[in-house]
Amino acid sequence: MNVLIAVLLAAAPAAPEVVLLRASRLVDGRGGPPLAPAMVRVEGERITAVASRLEVPPGARVIELGAATLLPGLIDLHTHLAGNPAVHWEDALVKTTPAQAALWGARNARVTLMSGVTTCRDMGTEWPYVDVELRDAIAAGAVPGPRLLVAGSYVSSTGGAGDPRQFSIYVDVPGARNLADGPEEIVKAVRTNFKHGADFIKVLATGAILSKGIAPGQQQYSDEELLAAVTEARRWGRRVAAHAHGIEGIKASIRAGIWTIDHGSMLDDEAVAMLKRQPSSYYVPTLYITNTIAASATVPDSEKARSRQMAAAKDTAFQRALRAGLPIGLASDAPVMPHGELAKEMAHRVGLGEPPSSTIVSATRVNAEILGWSDRVGTVEPGKWADLIAVAQDPLADIRAMEAVLFVMKAGVVYKAATPER
Ligand SMILES: [Zn+2]
């Protein structure tokens, strides 16, 4: 062989492996009728073809999923993966270490991936920036987990929902680095977050349920403070998510141009109308956690009472948004519910009147739109990353089928492959 040709051949990248998945049905995330039967061709990390029948080229690997239903990998828009779920967040900075948060984070990320969630927006951790390290370790293949967008160090006011110093004023909590009061400190907190690797900013616009600070219905950050966060984040080309339960905080967040209204518990008709006029702001409810908070052995009674007061309003707010036809994000708020149980949120929403097909579209295509990642995740279409999951039963007939994920592929790599029933 000519030496030059030999050198060129040696330097040419190997053609990516061709994998064909075959299942009885595909629910592709776009909301139309399922494709049955279904085949999906994956080359390297991308989907390259979808049809009822595809030719199997010589040397291709075939993954037979039998009677199972294929779906896009799920997206969870609100998780807190880093940290030991058994520790109340207000104790984390005085009773745990960043190492504990990271090791449990790796465990929680694996559990989440194996439940079919291939992308998460992580809303931050008590030990600042452990989520940045977790995101990067997953991306480098050091630990299995969903691909992450992370908040780094969530931003709270003094005495607010994210103030981790719930002790006597004489007790110092040196790990507390997330407090900012007034527009100037908020601008600094935004810059510090982006400097240290956060993908977006999370602010606590109102009080929280799992907190001893300001009540969840109360606005915590002023309109001016929220606007300062959004304005500075925009300079970096990035966005701000707001934890918001009370209606004044929800409306102030929408007015400030916040990206997502997380929880959105007291959402009223006026707030729904404001969101309709401003399609760059989204409502991301977290409903099922009402049940896990009520049953929790570690949540104090005072916080259970906060949750009970908010419970009915949350479900009503969701139904209001549903009737209005708002695009609704889907999220777990794990570990407030155990990691890996996003399907419980899906079932809760179906119980409130959302058709299973719409719930699946929320967890896939709509969540991808909210992330601004419609070009890469959320549906099973050629050109997208090969994030594919399979469940044994038909989730359009019974959404609880989503609780038993038997196959998980992320970017073309198989992480879970149980043998399905034929
Ligand atoms: Zn949360």
Side-chain angles (χ1 to χ4, degrees), residues 219-289:
Q219 186 173 341
Q220 167 180 319
Y221 272 135
S222 68
D223 291 43
E224 193 189 9
E225 288 171 315
L226 293 169
L227 188 62
V230 172
T231 304
E232 183 59 26
R234 280 191 182 144
R235 277 195 256 273
W236 294 72
R238 299 188 208 175
R239 294 174 291 187
V240 181
H243 155 113
H245 289 290
I247 189 58
E248 293 312 323
I250 290 171
K251 288 176 185 167
S253 297
I254 301 169
R255 281 195 300 271
I258 292 273
W259 169 31
T260 56
I261 311 300
D262 288 68
H263 315 301
S265 303
M266 312 286 283
L267 193 78
D268 66 6
D269 287 329
E270 191 188 349
V272 168
M274 289 167 77
L275 286 170
K276 283 209 130 175
R277 287 196 299 271
Q278 188 169 297
S280 57
S281 295
Y282 296 90
Y283 163 56
V284 182
T286 56
L287 306 170
Y288 180 75
I289 52 171

Side-chain angles (χ1 to χ4, degrees), residues 78-80 123-124 202 204 243 262-263 286 289 332-336:
H78 192 126
T79 59
H80 304 273
M123 304 303 282
K202 177 191 180 183
L204 290 118
H243 155 113
D262 288 68
H263 315 301
T286 56
I289 52 171
S332 67
D333 205 7
V336 184

Side-chain angles (χ1 to χ4, degrees), residues 1-8:
M1 190 189 289
N2 178 308
V3 173
L4 180 61
I5 292 171
V7 168
L8 287 174

Side-chain angles (χ1 to χ4, degrees), residues 67 81 93 95 100 136 180 193 213 223 255 329 373 376 404:
L81 291 180
L93 292 181
K95 295 183 178 170
Q100 184 180 147
D136 293 350
N193 259 290
D223 291 43
R255 281 195 300 271
W373 278 11
R376 59 198 89 169

Side-chain angles (χ1 to χ4, degrees), residues 82-84 87 91-104 127 130:
N84 179 346
V87 178
D91 293 338
L93 292 181
V94 287
K95 295 183 178 170
T96 72
T97 63
Q100 184 180 147
L103 288 164
W104 277 92
W127 286 108
V130 171

